[in-house]
Amino acid sequence: VQLQASGGGLVQAGGSLRLACAASGRSFIRYVIAWFRQAPGKEREFVAAINYNVDSSYYADSVKGRFTISGNSAENTVYLQMNSLKPEDTAAYYCAAGGSLSYSDPDRMAYWGKGTQVTVSS
């Protein structure tokens, strides 16, 4: 499966963005799709994941209540709606595909898209 992330940009604190992860080659529902982010000088960290087949989603504590992950099987796309953005959310955001038991560990994700930059100004 190939993944393409898009939707990043510059937004003020408190604003919203919606990221998209478009899958091609295979249906994304065969995998758990996760979003990770990486700020300069920091390690890549888990943000959210969705297991579409079992209607389950998972979130990092830092984004719970602010971010929502969803999938559209007809579009073969996973979305990350980000609300109430904070300057500490600034990072390059990546989507990845993997198995159901490893969604929060970037080292265990099998497929990656290129990142999309999110910058939140204070």
Side-chain angles (χ1 to χ4, degrees):
V1 65
Q2 293 80 46
L3 304 173
Q4 178 66 51
S6 63
L10 174 64
V11 64
Q12 289 187 335
S16 299
L17 282 174
R18 188 177 77 156
L19 305 184
C21 177
S24 60
R26 286 184 172 179
S27 173
F28 80 85
I29 67 174
R30 297 169 60 101
Y31 307 91
V32 171
I33 303 296
W35 286 95
F36 295 83
R37 66 188 182 187
Q38 188 167 21
K42 295 187 176 181
E43 293 187 351
R44 193 166 294 191
E45 65 172 355
F46 170 74
V47 176
I50 184 168
N51 187 338
Y52 191 85
N53 279 330
V54 297
D55 194 25
S56 293
S57 56
Y58 316 92
Y59 298 92
D61 288 344
S62 59
V63 306
K64 276 181 185 175
R66 300 188 298 123
F67 291 11
T68 302
I69 191 169
S70 63
N72 185 317
S73 58
E75 297 177 355
N76 208 18
T77 300
V78 170
Y79 296 98
L80 183 68
Q81 178 66 44
M82 307 187 296
N83 298 329
S84 301
L85 282 162
K86 304 175 181 180
E88 51 262 44
D89 294 317
T90 295
Y93 284 70
Y94 301 85
C95 60
S100 61
L101 299 180
S102 61
Y103 61 83
S104 65
D105 184 350
D107 291 336
R108 299 184 66 183
M109 300 303 279
Y111 305 96
W112 288 86
K114 292 183 180 180
T116 185
Q117 179 67 34
V118 171
T119 302
V120 184
S121 63
S122 58

